[in-house]
Amino acid sequence: MTGSAEDALPYFEHAIRLNPSGPGIAPWYGRMGVVQLLESHIDAALVSLEKASNENARLPFVHAYLAAAYALKGQTERAHAELAEAQKLSNAYSSLANVEKSTWFDNTKIRALAEATYFPGLRKAGMSEE
């Protein structure tokens, strides 16, 4: 949330190495995938986000970022399915206007990264603006 997204990756990787099969591993993979997507490392993001989803399919943010990543890769059907799952799990993903309300995007560096990757991916996945 400080705007230094790329600096977070080593910490996520370290947490995963410390407890690679712990019950709380899904959020670490999910957060790593978020940073990778924001940094435009779409293939790496898909790997991390899929691991997160496989470990815990009830994390709406993982499905939303998967939707964006799949859409950016041109995998429209998978993007639509992931977006539908995120929306089923949380009202926060009902529109792009709702997503943009997150305090995380108040940081100008993070917002700029999201405007280049995440938000366009959500649009391509079929998320409405309002």
Side-chain angles (χ1 to χ4, degrees):
M1 293 184 77
T2 65
S4 303
E6 69 281 356
D7 294 340
L9 284 176
Y11 294 103
F12 296 145
E13 292 165 347
H14 184 70
I16 291 167
R17 277 194 308 276
L18 287 175
N19 195 8
S21 59
I25 197 76
W28 291 116
Y29 278 119
R31 290 179 188 113
M32 190 161 55
V34 166
V35 170
Q36 291 164 328
L37 183 112
L38 292 175
E39 292 289 322
S40 297
H41 303 294
I42 310 303
D43 291 329
L46 281 169
V47 170
S48 297
L49 292 163
E50 287 171 355
K51 285 181 182 180
S53 184
N54 288 336
E55 289 293 329
N56 183 349
R58 305 284 307 154
L59 296 173
F61 84 93
V62 169
H63 293 288
Y65 278 87
L66 273 170
Y70 282 133
L72 292 170
K73 293 292 286 183
Q75 297 181 28
T76 308
E77 287 183 35
R78 291 182 90 173
H80 290 308
E82 292 295 341
L83 180 58
E85 189 62 23
Q87 291 172 330
K88 182 175 97 175
L89 293 170
S90 173
N91 290 336
Y93 299 100
S94 62
S95 69
L96 195 56
N98 272 355
V99 171
E100 290 178 337
K101 288 179 187 176
S102 170
T103 57
W104 200 41
F105 302 121
D106 290 347
N107 180 292
T108 56
K109 291 179 186 177
I110 298 298
R111 178 168 282 285
L113 292 171
E115 287 175 350
T117 56
Y118 183 47
F119 299 159
L122 290 174
R123 285 184 188 99
K124 287 181 182 182
M127 182 175 279
S128 67
E129 294 290 328
E130 295 295 322

